[in-house]
Amino acid sequence: MEVTNVTEYQAIAKEKLPKMIYDYYASGAEDQWTLEENRNAFARILFRPRILIDVSKIDMTTTILGFKISMPIMIAPTAMQKMAHPEGEYATARAASAAGTIMTLSSWATSSVEEVASTGPGIRFFQLYVYKDRNVVAQLVRRAERAGFKAIALTVDTPRLGRREADIKNRFTLPPYLTLKNFEGLDLGKMDEANDSGLASYVAGQIDRTLSWKDVKWLQTITTMPILVKGVITAEDTRLAIQAGAAGIIVSNHGARQLDYVPATIMALEEVVKAAQGRVPVFLDGGVRRGTDVFKALALGASGIFIGRPVVFSLAAEGEAGVKNVLKMLRDEFELTMALSGCTSLKQITRNHIVTEWDAPLARPAPRL
Ligand code: FNR
């Protein structure tokens, strides 16, 4: 089948992957209300396109934390990519570099920071889970820095793992032929089987539930890399993150895998953007599957977006070529959206190019009496 949009990779991945692995990638928490809402909320935002503007040349380039990239579409950290494809994170790193954009490597990758760096040049961020053993954290951050990673994405929404019922039913665990490569040698690279989710047990055993704002400051004492706080969805926490020294905020609900019934990230974005007051850049992930979604996020004030599941699904389907294709399709769709909205650079995308439910009821038809 010819793939013509990002979403189509999900069905291909479902056919190819063992059920335990597909379910781990696809699932959200509990009722999966937020999982659906992450997509549905984009559909409730409509365009106010401008016409008769010369759109023969469109510039999608942008600068993130001082690094110039080809487009505001980046790769979110997703764990254990070698379950999707034997080349796993290597393939993702190569695809991101070829597209001129940023890859974020998960702490729980099945390839190490050094291995990913060895794929060649590229701008890469490292996603950090804070383990109870702070020596482990300090060592890992140092290794990421030495391997040329440019920023830390500190995940703050996972003091415990969300309840993903498919993983419980499947007794999800990392397949025995793989390891969490960054922790090999530290005796933390394997995941024991449990009588529920093996990952939930691993998190309960290793991840530091006491993590708090003071640790964001502590992290700055052990690294010079800028810190993006990943998992903020309120104005209150935006202000605290900036006070604690964050270089940027990622509005994220962890792909709806943690607390169910939090709003879609696109619904939370504007609140965070307003609270940030332009002091730090704000990014978004969650449910981005179309170029129109990217445009909507930028119109609401995001400096860029990250994609999670599209990467693992396309990896499963076609390896590196699949991830490349996902990035290309999103790029092409985003460029087309800009053209059809009358925008030739990212700066020209404004709040007036969209209308939301919480604006004056411009877009809604009057109720029929
Ligand atoms: C994730 N996510 C994630 N986040 C993180 O900080 N560290 C991680 O290791 C992982 N691992 C992970 C695995 C899988 C299979 C998924 C689907 C997600 C969350 C991820 O970074 C991002 O927030 C979401 O995936 C974005 O939503 P979409 O694009 O998947 O809808």
Side-chain angles (χ1 to χ4, degrees), residues 137-154:
V137 178
Q139 255 190 53
L140 188 54
V141 167
R142 230 173 292 131
R143 279 170 55 200
E145 199 162 351
R146 231 179 289 139
F149 284 69
K150 302 298 185 206
I152 294 283
L154 175 68

Side-chain angles (χ1 to χ4, degrees), residues 116-135:
V116 169
S118 78
T119 60
I123 302 157
R124 300 183 187 109
F125 295 168
F126 180 69
Q127 176 270 327
L128 184 68
Y129 281 126
V130 177
Y131 279 56
K132 290 176 182 168
D133 183 343
R134 292 302 169 92
N135 289 327

Side-chain angles (χ1 to χ4, degrees), residues 25 77 79 106 127 129 155 230 252 254 257 285-287 289 308-309:
Y25 288 152
S106 167
Q127 176 270 327
Y129 281 126
T155 300
K230 175 177 183 282
S252 172
H254 211 116
R257 295 158 75 81
D285 73 28
R289 303 291 180 268
R309 289 183 186 82

Side-chain angles (χ1 to χ4, degrees), residues 232-235 251 263-273 284 358:
V232 171
I233 49 171
T234 64
V251 176
T265 48
I266 194 69
M267 300 291 286
L269 176 62
E270 197 163 36
E271 170 177 331
V272 170
V273 166
L284 170 136
W358 57 95

Side-chain angles (χ1 to χ4, degrees), residues 48-76:
R48 301 182 67 247
R50 300 300 307 276
I51 52 165
L52 293 179
I53 293 166
D54 175 352
V55 291
S56 56
K57 285 198 194 76
I58 293 193
D59 178 11
M60 287 181 282
T61 60
T62 188
T63 302
I64 306 287
L65 302 177
F67 299 99
K68 188 156 183 195
I69 57 174
S70 64
M71 58 180 176
I73 300 165
M74 298 168 277
I75 295 186

Side-chain angles (χ1 to χ4, degrees), residues 199-227:
L199 183 60
S201 300
Y202 181 85
V203 169
Q206 301 304 334
I207 299 302
D208 190 351
R209 289 185 194 181
T210 73
L211 193 73
S212 67
W213 291 111
K214 68 175 185 335
D215 300 306
V216 179
K217 292 194 174 145
W218 167 76
L219 207 50
Q220 291 162 72
T221 68
I222 64 164
T223 181
T224 57
M225 285 185 281
I227 295 163

